[in-house]
Amino acid sequence: MDGPTNGQKSDSDAASWLPPNKAYRCTYVSQQITVKSIYHLWVTQAEKDAMQKILATC
C-alpha cells in the first residue's frame, strides 16, 4: 500500500475501509485474518460480516 492510501485507511477495519484495488481485497482480508488470529485480536460483527463477504468472492 502506498502512503496516501495507507493514510486514507488510518485505523479503519474491513467494515469501514477496503483497498481501492478490488483485485487486492482478498489478499488484504486474508492477511488481516492471519494477523488477528496470531495475536488473538478481536473482530467486530460488522468487520466479520465484511470479511466474509469479501472472501466469498475470492
Side-chain angles (χ1 to χ4, degrees):
M1 214 176 302
D2 62 22
T5 304
N6 192 43
Q8 290 172 352
K9 179 199 172 294
S10 185
D11 63 349
S12 301
D13 62 23
S16 308
W17 186 90
L18 289 168
N21 179 353
K22 291 182 180 182
Y24 182 68
R25 289 181 179 179
C26 289
T27 301
Y28 176 78
V29 168
S30 295
Q31 289 175 347
Q32 270 196 333
I33 292 168
T34 298
V35 169
K36 287 179 180 273
S37 177
I38 290 169
Y39 293 101
H40 305 285
L41 301 174
W42 55 275
V43 177
T44 66
Q45 186 63 51
E47 185 179 13
K48 181 179 176 181
D49 292 345
M51 289 175 163
Q52 288 176 329
K53 183 178 177 181
I54 293 299
L55 292 177
T57 68
C58 298

